[in-house]
C-alpha cells in the first residue's frame, strides 16, 4: 500500500535511532557532559509565534546549570504557518531533536504554546501556555476558542496556563482542575522594558516625531488584509518631519506569503520611508516606542493598551472575536479610523490617551508572572527553585528594515519672511501643495524621480561647482543643485554657489527647498551670494 505523502516526507527527514543525538538528551551519555544535568526540558515549537512565547518561559531557567533545554517540532503535522520555524530554531544555536526522538526520550517537562501538536504523545508533564494575550478568538469557521480545544486538552499530564481567571469558565470541568492562572510573560517583559522606550525610539530613528505603528494580525479581516494600501495612505498624508510610520505584521503573514513576497508587496511604501519590523523579535519594542497604534482584532492592541499606548481600530470587526472577551471590550471602546484627515485623527487619539480598564481584564498578576510561573515550573520538574529572584529579561531591541527616502514631494508656504517646508515621499502621489516641487538624490532616487526633479542634491564631496555644472547638463529640468553636510547646504543655480547655514538640529536639505522657492520668484537666496 502506498504511504501518505506526509509520512514519506517525515521518514525522509527523520534520522534513524542509531543517528539520534545522544548528548545531552540521553541520560545514558551524561558522562560526556560538563555541567551536571539533573532535569531535561523539551520546548515544543509549532510556529514562529509560539516559539517567541516559549523563549520567554525558557528564560526563567537562565543561570541554572542543573537544567538542560532542547527544542522540537513535529515534522509530521506542520502548522499552516510553519514556514520560517526551522530557520528561527537554527538561529538559536540550541539543541533541536526530531519529534520521533523527543517522544521516546525521558524528558522531565515539556512546554508548549499550541494544543494542535500531539502533546499526548509526550511521556512527561506538559505545560501549555497561550501564544497570544489570553484566549480571545475562535478558530476560523468554528465555535472552538483558539488554544482551548477540549479534545486536545484531555489527559492528566497536560497543565493549562491561563492569563486570567476569567478564562477558567471556558474550560471543561476536568480540564479546569489542571489549569493555573499565570499571567502573561510577554506582557510582563513589556512592563519591565517601558523605561527603555526612549532608547527604542532612537533605534527606530523616531526623533521628535510622532511614531505611528501599524499592527496587523493575519487573514482577510486583518488591518493589512482589509486595506493593503493603508501604509501608503499614511505616508501620503503624514509629513516626514512630523511622523515616523512603522509596520508590525503577525508572523503568520510572513510565513504564509514568504518574506520575499511581503517585502515585494511593501516595496513602494518602504521606498517612501516605512519602517518594517521583522517577525522574530522587535514588535514589543516598536509598540513601546509608539505614540499611537493603528490595529485590528489581534493581540497587539491589547498589548499596546496594557503599555499605555492609545489605539485606533483600522479594520472591520473580525467574526472570530469571542463576545464578552477583553478584546471584544477593547474593540467596542476604541475609536475607528475613517476617511477624515489622518493628522486630526491621530492627534485626537493621542490626546484621549489609552483606553482604560481593559488590559486588567486580559492579564492577571501584572508584573508578577515570573514569580508565579517559575515555582510552578520547578514544582513540575520536582526540583528546588533557585534562590535568585524570578524575573524576565527586557525585550530585545528592534531590528528595523527601512530605506532612506531619496526623493521628496515638497510644499513651501510663506508667512511674511518665514518659510515653512512640508515634505512627503515622492514615491507616493498626493494632493497638490503650495510651492510644490520635487527634491531627488542624485544617486539614490529612481530615474523617473530624477527626470522630474526641480532640486537634485548629493552629500558633500569635493568640487561642488564642477559636479553641479555637469549635473545641470544631464538634468536640465532641475532649477537648483545642492549638496548637504551637517549644518550647511550649498546650492548652485544660474552658475552661482550660495552657502546656507542650518539652525541646530535642522535638516540642511530643507534650506534647498527654501532656496528653490526664492529662486522661482527671482528673490535673492541670501545676502552673501557670490558668483
Amino acid at each position: 500500500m502506498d504511504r501518505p505523502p506526509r509520512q514519506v516526507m517525515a521518514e525522509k527527514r527523520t534520522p534513524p535511532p542509531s543517528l539520534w543525538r545522544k548528548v545531552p538528551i540521553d541520560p545514558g551519555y551524561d558522562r560526556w557532559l560538563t555541567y551536571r544535568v539533573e532535569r531535561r526540558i523539551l520546548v515544543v515549537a509549532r510556529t514562529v509565534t509560539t516559539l517567541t512565547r516559549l523563549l520567554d518561559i525558557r528564560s526563567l531557567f537562565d543561570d541554572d546549570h542543573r537544567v538542560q533545554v532542547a527544542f522540537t517540532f513535529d515534522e509530521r503535522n506542520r502548522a499552516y504557518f510553519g514556514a520560517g520555524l526551522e530557520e528561527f530554531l537554527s538561529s538559536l544555536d540550541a539543541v533541536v531533536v526530531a519529534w520521533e526522538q523527543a517522544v521516546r526520550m525521558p524528558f522531565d517537562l515539556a512546554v508548549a504554546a499550541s494544543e494542535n501538536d500531539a502533546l499526548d504523545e509526550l511521556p512527561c508533564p506538559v505545560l501549555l501556555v497561550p501564544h497570544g494575550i489570553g484566549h480571545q478568538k475562535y478558530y476560523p469557521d468554528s465555535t472552538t476558542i483558539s488554544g482551548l480545544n477540549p479534545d486536545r486538552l484531555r489527559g492528566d499530564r497536560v497543565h493549562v496556563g491561563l492569563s486570567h481567571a476569567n478564562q477558567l469558565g471556558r474550560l471543561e470541568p476536568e480540564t479546569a482542575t489542571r489549569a493555573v492562572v499565570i499571567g502573561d510573560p510577554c506582557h510582563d517583559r513589556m512592563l519591565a522594558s517601558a523605561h527603555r522606550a526612549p532608547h527604542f525610539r532612537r533605534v527606530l530613528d523616531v526623533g521628535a516625531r510622532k511614531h505611528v505603528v501599524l499592527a496587523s494580525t493575519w487573514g482577510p479581516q486583518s488591518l493589512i488584509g482589509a486595506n493593503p494600501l493603508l501604509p501608503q495612505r499614511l505616508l501620503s498624508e503624514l509629513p516626514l518631519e512630523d511622523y515616523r510610520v512603522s509596520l508590525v505584521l503577525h508572523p503568520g503573514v510572513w510565513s504564509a506569503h514568504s518574506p520575499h513576497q511581503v517585502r515585494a508587496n511593501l516595496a513602494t511604501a518602504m521606498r517612501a520611508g516605512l519602517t518594517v519590523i521583522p517577525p522574530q523579535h522587535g514588535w514589543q519594542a516598536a509598540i513601546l516606542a509608539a505614540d499611537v497604534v493603528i490595529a485590528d482584532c489581534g493581540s497587539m492592541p491589547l498589548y499596546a493598551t496594557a503599555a499605555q499606548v492609545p489605539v485606533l481600530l483600522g479594520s472591520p470587526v473580525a467574526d472570530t472575536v469571542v463576545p464578552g472577551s477583553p478584546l471584544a471590550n477593547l474593540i467596542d471602546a476604541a475609536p475607528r479610523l475613517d476617511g477624515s484627515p489622518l493628522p486630526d485623527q491621530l492627534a485626537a487619539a493621542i490626546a484621549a490617551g489609552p483606553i482604560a480598564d481593559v488590559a486588567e481584564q486580559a492579564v492577571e498578576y501584572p508584573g508578577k508572572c515570573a514569580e508565579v510561573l517559575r515555582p510552578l515550573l520547578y514544582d513540575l520538574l520536582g526540583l528546588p527553585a533557585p534562590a535568585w529572584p524570578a524575573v524576565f529579561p527586557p525585550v530585545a531591541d528592534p531590528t528595523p528594515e527601512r530605506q532612506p527616502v531619496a526623493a521628496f514631494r515638497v510644499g513651501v508656504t510663506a508667512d511674511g519672511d518665514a518659510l515653512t517646508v512640508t515634505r512627503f515621499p515622492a514615491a507616493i502621489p498626493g494632493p497638490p501643495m503650495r510651492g510644490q516641487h520635487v527634491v531627488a538624490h542624485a544617486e539614490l532616487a529612481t530615474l523617473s524621480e530624477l527626470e522630474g526633479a526641480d532640486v537634485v542634491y548629493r552629500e558633500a564631496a569635493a568640487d561642488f561647482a564642477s559636479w553641479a555644472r555637469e549635473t545641470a547638463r544631464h538634468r536640465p529640468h532641475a532649477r537648483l543643485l545642492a549638496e548637504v553636510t551637517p549644518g550647511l547646504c550649498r546650492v548652485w543655480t544660474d552658475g552661482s554657489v550660495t552657502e546656507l547655514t542650518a539652525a541646530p538640529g535642522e535638516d540642511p536639505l530643507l534650506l534647498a527647498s527654501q532656496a528653490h522657492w526664492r529662486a522661482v520668484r527671482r528673490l535673492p537666496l541670501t545676502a552673501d551670494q557670490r558668483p
Side-chain angles (χ1 to χ4, degrees):
M1 179 182 295
D2 291 339
R3 290 167 294 177
R6 179 178 295 178
Q7 181 180 344
V8 173
M9 181 186 69
E11 290 179 2
K12 287 181 179 179
R13 296 180 57 87
T14 304
S18 61
L19 297 180
W20 284 354
R21 181 165 180 166
K22 306 300 190 299
V23 178
I25 305 303
D26 190 336
Y29 294 81
D30 279 1
R31 64 184 179 275
W32 300 101
L33 297 177
T34 298
Y35 295 112
R36 182 179 176 183
V37 173
E38 299 181 34
R39 299 291 188 276
R40 288 169 171 83
I41 297 173
L42 182 68
V43 176
V44 182
R46 184 162 180 80
T47 63
V48 169
T49 303
T50 63
L51 182 53
T52 58
R53 299 310 172 93
L54 294 170
L55 289 174
D56 292 343
I57 296 174
R58 187 260 172 271
S59 70
L60 293 177
F61 299 105
D62 284 353
D63 297 315
D64 191 346
H65 66 270
R66 301 172 300 170
V67 175
Q68 174 69 50
V69 177
F71 295 76
T72 191
F73 66 97
D74 190 350
E75 305 96 332
R76 311 164 308 169
N77 179 28
R78 289 178 176 266
Y80 293 124
F81 294 153
L85 175 60
E86 289 172 89
E87 292 81 1
F88 192 11
L89 283 168
S90 178
S91 73
L92 300 179
D93 292 331
V95 175
V96 181
V97 298
W99 181 263
E100 284 74 10
Q101 180 181 3
V103 298
R104 288 169 173 79
M105 288 290 106
F107 285 101
D108 300 288
L109 174 67
V111 290
S114 171
E115 85 276 33
N116 292 318
D117 282 312
L119 302 180
D120 58 324
E121 294 184 10
L122 298 170
C124 61
V126 179
L127 177 63
L128 176 66
V129 300
H131 61 263
I133 187 165
H135 302 282
Q136 317 284 337
K137 301 176 77 173
Y138 297 113
Y139 283 111
D141 304 317
S142 170
T143 57
T144 300
I145 297 176
S146 176
L148 298 181
N149 185 343
D151 293 334
R152 296 175 181 264
L153 300 180
R154 306 188 192 282
D156 58 6
R157 289 199 303 269
V158 179
H159 304 264
V160 181
L162 302 174
S163 67
H164 198 285
N166 57 24
Q167 297 157 24
L168 283 166
R170 303 188 185 279
L171 297 172
E172 291 187 346
E174 189 274 333
T175 305
T177 62
R178 291 178 279 105
V180 59
V181 178
I182 60 173
D184 186 284
C186 180
H187 168 273
D188 281 15
R189 289 189 68 193
M190 292 179 71
L191 286 184
S193 307
H195 66 288
R196 295 191 174 192
H199 167 69
F200 297 147
R201 289 173 70 90
R202 285 191 294 272
V203 173
L204 293 166
D205 191 28
V206 175
R209 293 172 287 187
K210 299 297 184 184
H211 187 204
V212 184
V213 174
L214 300 174
S216 178
T217 189
W218 63 274
Q221 295 178 315
S222 68
L223 186 70
I224 291 300
N227 189 352
L229 297 181
L230 182 59
Q232 293 194 28
R233 180 192 170 191
L234 266 70
L235 295 164
S236 71
E237 291 191 39
L238 302 179
L240 290 167
E241 269 64 57
D242 299 328
Y243 296 90
R244 165 70 77 185
V245 181
S246 297
L247 173 64
V248 174
L249 293 173
H250 188 283
V253 181
W254 296 85
S255 177
H257 293 279
S258 81
H260 171 86
Q261 187 63 53
V262 168
R263 294 184 182 101
N265 292 349
L266 297 171
T268 296
M270 293 185 73
R271 283 203 301 114
L274 178 70
T275 297
V276 178
I277 308 299
Q280 285 84 356
H281 58 77
W283 69 264
Q284 300 98 325
I287 295 291
L288 290 170
D291 291 285
V292 61
V293 170
I294 300 175
D296 50 26
C297 300
S299 289
M300 283 185 280
L302 273 172
Y303 282 116
T305 299
Q308 298 298 299
V309 178
V311 170
L312 274 167
L313 191 69
S315 71
V317 178
D319 54 15
T320 55
V321 176
V322 176
S325 66
L327 179 58
N329 296 336
L330 173 62
I331 291 168
D332 289 342
R336 300 295 199 272
L337 193 71
D338 57 34
S340 62
L342 281 172
D344 296 341
Q345 295 188 68
L346 297 176
I350 293 171
I355 298 166
D357 303 326
V358 173
E360 294 83 356
Q361 304 169 22
V363 178
E364 204 158 351
Y365 311 133
K368 302 293 184 181
C369 177
E371 297 177 29
V372 173
L373 182 54
R374 193 178 72 171
L376 170 64
L377 292 167
Y378 277 89
D379 183 60
L380 291 171
L381 285 171
L383 194 67
W388 54 83
V391 294
F392 289 115
V395 301
D397 283 2
T399 54
E401 296 184 14
R402 57 179 175 234
Q403 302 172 21
V405 178
F408 304 87
R409 184 170 49 86
V410 186
V412 181
T413 57
D415 184 6
D417 292 334
L419 298 178
T420 300
V421 178
T422 304
R423 298 190 295 185
F424 299 89
I428 301 174
M433 298 177 286
R434 292 184 178 181
Q436 180 166 308
H437 58 281
V438 173
V439 178
H441 193 283
E443 299 169 357
L444 301 181
T446 65
L447 186 58
S448 61
E449 290 165 343
L450 275 172
E451 289 176 343
D454 304 282
V455 177
V456 176
Y457 76 99
R458 69 170 189 176
E459 285 75 33
D463 201 354
F464 169 59
S466 296
W467 172 84
R469 283 192 293 271
E470 182 66 17
T471 302
R473 288 198 312 109
H474 294 288
R475 308 288 174 219
H477 184 274
R479 187 181 189 102
L480 185 147
L481 290 308
E483 74 169 12
V484 292
T485 190
L488 185 66
C489 176
R490 295 184 181 89
V491 297
W492 184 97
T493 184
D494 297 330
S496 298
V497 175
T498 304
E499 289 193 352
L500 306 171
T501 303
E506 181 182 24
D507 183 352
L509 188 58
L510 297 173
L511 302 178
S513 287
Q514 295 177 358
H516 177 269
W517 185 91
R518 293 189 176 98
V520 168
R521 290 154 182 78
R522 299 189 181 279
L523 299 173
L525 304 187
T526 182
D528 61 351
Q529 185 171 340
R530 62 182 185 276

